[in-house]
Amino acid sequence: MKLHVFSFAQRSSYSGVLEGFFALRKRKLVDELGWALAHDGGLESDQYDRPGAVYSIVTNDDCVVAGARALSCGAAYGHWTYMLKDAADGKLEGIPDGLMDVYPTDHSAWECTRFVTDDRMAENSPYSVEAKLVVAGLCQGTHWLGATSLLSLSPRALGVLLRRFGYRVQRQANRYLCEDDQREYWAFVMGCDPAVNEKLFFTYATPTALANSSGRHNLRVQPLTRCHQERADVV
């Protein structure tokens, strides 16, 4: 099992890993949960897969089994900032305003989205090591870029999961019901402490996936050689 942490700028060196992540997102979010998302029939990507994005993706036997994405709340790219803020500003349909007490606009806060795990390939547990690795990778990768907190719009169980993983988590007061999957979602704020699960991170993180604060990147990456078609699950 390997953990890959990389930026959008490095995507050409992680093309197999990123494509597997896009495929996993499509199978889970579109095929299983029924989200009305644009896709090409096999892959799902959106306007937040863009310069500045950081990815934390776990592979096992050359297949993506879990992953997530993060964007700085202080960065904009054309019309778009980050999902929760764009929804609050009326740029996205389906997600209401008022889910956050304060919508941050600086680089100390990062939003995490598209957190998915494959329930056939990953450990059969909501507290799987794969899910823990994804969070640890996001925390390490964004902390190098100035993050002190991470945001997420997720089911209530995410707060329990993150606390069990050892993180400090606050759930915002308001919630909303997603019309596509009929599940309730809350906004969560998690302290970005790279010391939490640090040993686990360095056990599984690929040396070529690590980008340090100086901006140096090692791009000798082995692409995935195959991709699975099993069902996926989201945390």
Side-chain angles (χ1 to χ4, degrees), residues 70-118:
L71 272 175
S72 170
C73 296
Y77 191 71
H79 180 66
W80 306 104
T81 59
Y82 62 96
M83 188 186 71
L84 279 167
K85 181 70 163 56
D86 288 341
D89 291 341
K91 299 176 185 178
L92 296 175
E93 296 181 358
I95 302 174
D97 188 8
L99 293 177
M100 296 284 298
D101 296 334
V102 176
Y103 289 84
T105 57
D106 63 83
H107 293 293
S108 68
W110 285 60
E111 182 187 54
C112 303
T113 52
R114 297 299 195 259
F115 191 170
V116 291
T117 62
D118 189 304

Side-chain angles (χ1 to χ4, degrees), residues 111-183:
E111 182 187 54
C112 303
T113 52
R114 297 299 195 259
F115 191 170
V116 291
T117 62
D118 189 304
D119 62 356
R120 295 290 298 274
M121 300 291 289
E123 179 185 335
N124 187 23
S125 166
Y127 309 116
S128 70
V129 66
E130 291 88 354
K132 185 183 289 188
L133 277 170
V134 169
V135 179
L138 289 176
C139 196
Q140 290 280 348
T142 60
H143 177 77
W144 292 330
L145 299 171
T148 59
S149 64
L150 302 179
L151 320 178
S152 178
L153 182 63
S154 302
R156 185 174 183 174
L158 179 71
V160 176
L161 181 73
L162 295 176
R163 291 186 186 98
R164 178 154 182 168
F165 287 169
Y167 298 97
R168 294 181 296 103
V169 182
Q170 291 182 332
R171 192 185 75 194
Q172 302 291 286
N174 295 325
R175 61 186 176 180
Y176 91 102
L177 180 69
C178 176
E179 293 184 0
D180 289 338
D181 62 18
Q182 294 299 302
R183 300 199 301 178

